[in-house]
Amino acid sequence: MHIPDGFLNLPTAVASGAVAAGAVGYACARLRRTLPPEKAPLLGVMGAFVFAGQMVNFPVAGGTSGHLLGAALVTILLGPWAAMLVMTAVLVVQCFVFQDGGLSALGANVLNMAVVAPLVAAAVYRALGRAVPSGGRPFLPTVVAAWATVVVAALFCAAELVLSGTAAAAVVFPAMLGIHALIGVGEALLTAGALAVIAAARPDLWPVPRPAEVAE
Amino acid sequence: MKRTAWLGILLAALGVAAVLAPFASSWPDGLEKVAETLGFAHRAEIGPLVSSPIPDYGMPGVGNSRLATTAAGVVGTLVVFAVLYGLVRLLVARRRGEDARTE
């Protein structure tokens, strides 16, 4: 759902860019205080994995494709603040090197996929953590969080299109919701699959969330 | 963080970019499809504001389109890794500098 140049008007682009910049700046400030130095390579390789995963479009219904977003995967592994930095780096490289997502829409794309998506993933993952029996794998929180990231990011994208006067709310919200509810199923399967593989080698990287604790 | 764990993820990323990406579906994605259906796709025809070295994930100068995608994917995967690794090292290095001054 990378928004290209031409879809957003100037006020929407500037406003979403300002919110995105503030959020990513806050994430960086938090990481500066809290990130263990030995996690630096893990942030790098997760960004690389998300970039690669986003290249692989899979077909969904009606001649439409979707691809991994990756925000839930990185949030569950590294927490929402690290995920914001990782997802922002992916989007910036995609925009400047690969012409994927417009420069004028970079702020909106960062807001939807690098700020909102990790916050949604963290909130849902934590909220559903209490449903996981002790010793169990957090499959349910993982798949619901992954599905929700795609759907909520798509709704933010739709809202930006409405604010820009590009599309009418009555049609663009149902259209974006419908297709991304399907793409979100792919996101849920890919996220749980990737975490199952990683947890086979490193069970500590797929922690069972507890509602009271903040995933850092 | 054990080196083998993150090296494994990096190798998996390179494998996905090199082997799977060339066989990705070329159908429009969710937003592109909605833009076509609702009739605002033409607004993107103004083209990108900045030109990119590897537009649309195809390495320029590589004739075979699957190989062009493989090359673009491998380069992009390594660029994202390098950018993030450098950024995080900068963040953490600045913290270390501050710690040293306050001691």
Side-chain angles (χ1 to χ4, degrees):
Chain A
M1 71 184 85
H2 294 53
I3 304 171
D5 287 318
F7 278 13
L8 301 182
N9 66 6
L10 191 61
T12 307
V14 170
S16 53
V19 176
V24 175
Y26 175 76
C28 285
R30 271 190 84 120
L31 289 172
R32 201 154 71 90
R33 291 198 312 272
T34 60
L35 188 74
E38 66 271 17
K39 290 233 169 168
L42 189 57
L43 265 73
V45 297
M46 285 316 298
F49 189 83
V50 167
F51 173 85
Q54 289 201 1
M55 284 185 74
V56 186
N57 285 61
F58 50 84
V60 291
T64 309
S65 72
H67 61 67
L68 177 78
L69 175 57
L73 175 64
V74 184
T75 300
I76 291 168
L77 284 170
L78 293 166
W81 312 114
M84 284 187 195
L85 185 61
V86 168
M87 297 300 295
T88 300
V90 170
L91 288 165
V92 167
V93 170
Q94 286 171 331
C95 172
F96 284 99
V97 183
F98 297 95
Q99 218 168 82
D100 191 12
L103 179 60
S104 65
L106 181 59
N109 284 325
V110 168
L111 178 63
N112 303 342
M113 291 181 272
V115 174
V116 169
L119 291 177
V120 167
V124 173
Y125 193 64
R126 261 176 241 159
L128 297 182
R130 74 186 77 216
V132 180
S134 62
R137 284 271 174 83
F139 271 107
L140 180 76
T142 298
V143 296
V144 178
W147 182 84
T149 57
V150 174
V151 169
V152 177
L155 292 177
F156 267 75
C157 176
E160 288 145 11
L161 294 171
V162 170
L163 288 172
S164 297
T166 299
V171 287
V172 78
F173 275 107
M176 286 294 280
L177 179 65
I179 191 66
H180 288 92
L182 284 175
I183 294 172
V185 174
E187 181 79 14
L189 295 175
L190 289 171
T191 303
L195 282 167
V197 170
I198 292 171
R202 290 285 307 272
D204 56 302
L205 290 179
W206 195 11
V208 175
R210 292 294 166 226
E213 89 189 22
V214 177
E216 288 292 353
Chain B
M1 186 82 215
K2 266 202 190 145
R3 175 163 294 190
T4 48
W6 64 260
L7 263 181
I9 297 173
L10 183 61
L11 287 176
L14 288 169
V16 168
V19 180
L20 295 183
F23 297 95
S25 168
S26 55
W27 285 348
D29 77 3
L31 174 59
E32 288 165 346
K33 184 69 173 184
V34 168
E36 286 172 15
T37 308
L38 301 185
F40 63 86
H42 66 275
R43 291 188 189 226
E45 283 166 14
I46 60 159
L49 289 177
V50 288
S51 59
S52 303
I54 314 175
D56 296 324
Y57 302 95
M59 185 63 81
V62 179
N64 181 303
S65 71
R66 291 207 201 281
L67 285 180
T69 304
T70 293
V74 168
V75 168
T77 301
L78 292 174
V79 167
V80 171
F81 172 73
V83 164
L84 262 172
Y85 187 72
L87 265 177
V88 174
R89 289 297 293 261
L90 271 178
L91 272 179
V92 175
R94 238 192 313 167
R95 178 174 67 199
R96 279 201 193 124
E98 284 170 11
D99 290 347
R101 275 197 300 279
T102 54
E103 273 167 15

